[in-house]
């Protein structure tokens, strides 16, 4: 007799992701920090995969599936739990979660305490602190991947939040199955609903902790989960969650295509770089999570922060320490709006504007220097970046 159907479903989802990890890192360790000594490529320990676990049903189910599947594929499995310090007794609870992970057979297991700031609101600040801790833990232990327990329901909530903010298509694409620097973060459960994951915990008698913040109406995502989505399903019928998750995938495909187009277009309209073939400058596509981020006035919920270094044309300029970007105005004007604005965003980031502070209204104002040029004054962008029109060129520089 096989496992419970829900248990089989979570194990299959994790097995598929672990196979992908093995394809991406067949024998070599993950990319190391610049100053870290290079480990031996052969004869070392098996690749390590970590699970981020809060003790909730989603992450406990994920931890159990990782503990079951990893050894069969020759992988080591470990766990990290993050203590945000936002509730009384959070340190004790984190220690309990760490012990549960060890009982599942995970090793290494680590409990990390973080200080949550205030920038961007409580949810965004906690998320930023959490991902920073996970990044640091992955580097400390040399992990090739970190698994996250986001489900299809979480994806639907993220899309709905993006719709409510009037965000661009990148934000509507929700959470990627693979994200972060070097594809560090993997989300095996994005195609599984929350109830299936919870049933898997019940079938295995896994103890779970329900975070009271998840039902606190003070938090936007909690209101979406317990108020907005139920109202939509009552008015429109079942299937809203599935439809929103499907929208995320369709939007991601479109956004990826537009970002690739923008990367090619940028190389054609940049006038401050050598022509193609004239110098061995890298021209790989810029990281889409930073330079191709959706035009939105808030940070997308549920995604890893987009602070990693870019590659490609914009990244090459940053690598040289340049704070000046020049673009051909005529070439920009000929591009479709969606592509042109992506190019402008990439250029602003290359000149020094922080990606997380660059919103839709900023890019729209810069775009008017191309499409509605009437001798306007220079514009100021976050990061002390100035944009001015000089004849047939758009000049973006950090002051």
């Amino acid at each position: 007799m096989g496992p419970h159907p829900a248990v089989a479903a979570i194990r299959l989802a994790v097995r598929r992701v672990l196979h992908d990890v093995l394809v991406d890192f067949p024998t070599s360790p993950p990319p190391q920090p610049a100053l870290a000594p290079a480990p031996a490529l052969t004869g070392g320990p098996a690749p390590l995969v970590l699970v981020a676990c809060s003790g909730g049903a989603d992450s406990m189910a994920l931890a159990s599936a990782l503990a079951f599947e990893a050894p069969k594929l020759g992988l080591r499995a470990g766990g990290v739990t993050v203590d945000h310090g936002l509730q009384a007794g959070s340190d004790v609870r984190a220690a309990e979660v760490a012990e549960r992970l060890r009982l599942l057979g995970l090793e290494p297991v680590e409990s990390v305490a973080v200080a949550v700031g205030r920038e961007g609101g409580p949810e965004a600040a906690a998320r930023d602190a959490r991902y920073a801790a996970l990044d640091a833990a992955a580097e400390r232990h040399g992990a090739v991947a970190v698994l996250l327990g986001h489900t299809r329901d979480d994806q639907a909530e993220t899309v709905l939040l993006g719709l409510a903010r009037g965000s661009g298509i990148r934000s509507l694409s929700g959470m990627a199955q693979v994200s972060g620097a070097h594809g560090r973060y993997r989300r095996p459960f994005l195609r599984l609903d929350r109830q299936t994951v919870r049933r898997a915990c019940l079938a295995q008698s896994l103890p779970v902790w329900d975070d009271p913040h998840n039902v606190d109406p003070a938090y936007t995502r909690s209101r979406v989960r317990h108020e907005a989505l139920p109202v939509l399903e009552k008015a429109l019928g079942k299937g809203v969650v599935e439809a929103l998750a499907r929208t995320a995938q369709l939007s991601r495909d479109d956004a990826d295509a537009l970002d690739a187009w923008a990367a090619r277009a940028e190389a054609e309209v940049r006038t401050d770089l050598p022509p193609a073939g004239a110098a061995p400058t890298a021209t790989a596509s810029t990281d889409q999570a930073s330079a191709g981020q959706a035009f939105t006035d808030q940070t997308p919920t549920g995604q890893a922060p987009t602070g990693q270094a870019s590659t490609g044309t914009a990244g090459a300029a940053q690598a040289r320490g340049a704070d000046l970007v020049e673009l051909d105005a005529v070439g920009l004007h000929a591009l479709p709006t969606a592509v042109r604005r992506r190019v402008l965003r990439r250029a602003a980031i290359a000149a020094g504007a922080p990606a997380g502070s660059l919103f839709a209204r900023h890019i729209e104002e810069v775009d008017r220097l191309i499409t509605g040029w009437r001798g306007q004054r220079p514009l100021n962008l976050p990061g002390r970046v100035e944009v001015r029109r000089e004849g047939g060129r758009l000049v973006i520089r950090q002051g």
Side-chain angles (χ1 to χ4, degrees):
M1 181 176 177
H4 187 281
V7 176
I10 64 170
R11 288 177 177 175
L12 177 60
V14 169
R15 189 183 317 140
R16 287 172 172 166
V17 166
L18 294 182
H19 276 295
D20 292 341
V21 169
L22 285 172
V23 170
D24 294 341
F25 302 99
T27 57
S28 60
Q32 299 294 310
L35 299 180
L41 298 183
T42 58
L48 172 66
V49 177
L50 296 175
V51 58
C53 185
S54 67
D58 300 345
S59 57
M60 283 300 297
L62 183 58
S64 71
L66 176 63
F68 183 83
E69 294 291 341
K72 297 194 296 183
L73 295 174
L75 293 167
R76 292 184 296 137
V80 180
T81 184
V82 178
D83 172 18
H84 297 85
L86 298 177
Q87 302 171 33
S90 62
D91 55 338
V92 175
R93 188 161 45 251
E96 292 173 350
V97 172
E99 183 59 28
R100 291 172 188 173
L101 295 178
R102 293 187 184 95
L103 291 175
L104 287 173
L106 300 185
E107 185 62 38
V109 171
E110 185 176 5
S111 174
V112 182
V114 298
V116 177
R118 301 187 177 209
E119 185 175 355
E123 292 170 284
R127 183 174 62 250
D128 290 347
R130 179 167 61 252
Y131 278 109
L134 293 175
D135 280 336
E139 292 178 7
R140 269 195 308 276
H141 296 289
V144 296
V146 178
L147 305 190
L148 305 176
H150 298 115
T151 65
R152 187 172 64 190
D153 299 72
D154 296 308
Q155 185 76 298
E157 293 161 10
T158 301
V159 174
L160 197 55
L161 285 165
L163 283 169
R165 289 194 301 263
S167 300
I169 193 171
R170 175 58 69 186
S171 187
L172 298 185
S173 65
M175 296 174 283
Q177 289 188 323
V178 180
S179 66
H182 311 294
R184 169 173 289 159
Y185 294 106
R186 314 282 173 133
R187 296 177 174 87
F189 291 171
L190 280 185
R191 296 188 180 183
L192 297 179
D193 63 88
R194 189 173 288 136
Q195 289 305 313
T196 296
V197 174
R198 186 168 286 273
R199 283 195 296 270
C201 289
L202 291 173
Q204 299 176 95
S205 301
L206 293 175
V208 299
W209 171 68
D210 291 316
D211 187 347
H213 284 173
N214 289 338
V215 295
D216 187 344
Y219 295 95
T220 305
R221 183 173 285 269
S222 176
R223 295 195 299 273
V224 169
R225 179 176 301 176
H226 299 289
E227 299 175 25
L229 275 174
V231 168
L232 285 175
E233 291 204 325
K234 182 177 181 180
L236 303 176
K238 295 293 182 182
V240 170
V241 168
E242 292 86 344
L244 288 170
R246 187 165 57 251
T247 295
Q249 185 57 56
L250 294 172
S251 298
R252 181 166 296 280
D253 293 341
D254 291 348
D256 288 347
L258 287 169
D259 287 343
W261 187 351
R264 295 192 299 268
E266 182 189 19
E268 295 172 359
V269 299
R270 286 280 294 266
T271 60
D272 60 306
L273 296 177
T281 300
T283 56
S285 175
T286 301
D287 185 279
Q288 293 170 349
S290 56
Q293 181 65 38
F295 302 136
T296 172
D297 279 353
Q298 294 186 35
T299 301
T301 305
Q303 299 183 10
T306 55
Q308 57 264 35
S310 297
T311 58
T313 310
Q318 286 180 312
R320 295 193 308 271
D323 58 1
L324 170 68
V325 175
E326 295 181 356
L327 304 169
D328 174 40
V330 174
L332 281 170
H333 195 280
L335 295 172
T337 302
V339 177
R340 182 176 60 250
R341 291 184 175 179
R342 279 171 165 76
V343 172
L344 294 175
R345 179 180 174 84
R346 292 166 62 96
I349 292 171
S357 301
L358 203 55
F359 301 146
R361 63 180 184 271
H362 297 129
I363 303 302
E364 289 169 0
E365 288 297 321
V366 175
D367 196 32
R368 289 191 185 97
L369 296 180
I370 301 298
T371 61
W373 174 239
R374 297 183 302 278
Q376 297 99 310
R377 289 184 175 184
L379 301 174
N380 293 316
L381 299 180
R384 299 183 298 109
V385 170
E386 180 189 79
V387 186
R388 67 168 62 234
R389 178 79 177 258
E390 295 182 358
R393 297 176 305 151
L394 190 71
V395 179
I396 308 175
R397 74 174 73 220
Q398 193 169 49

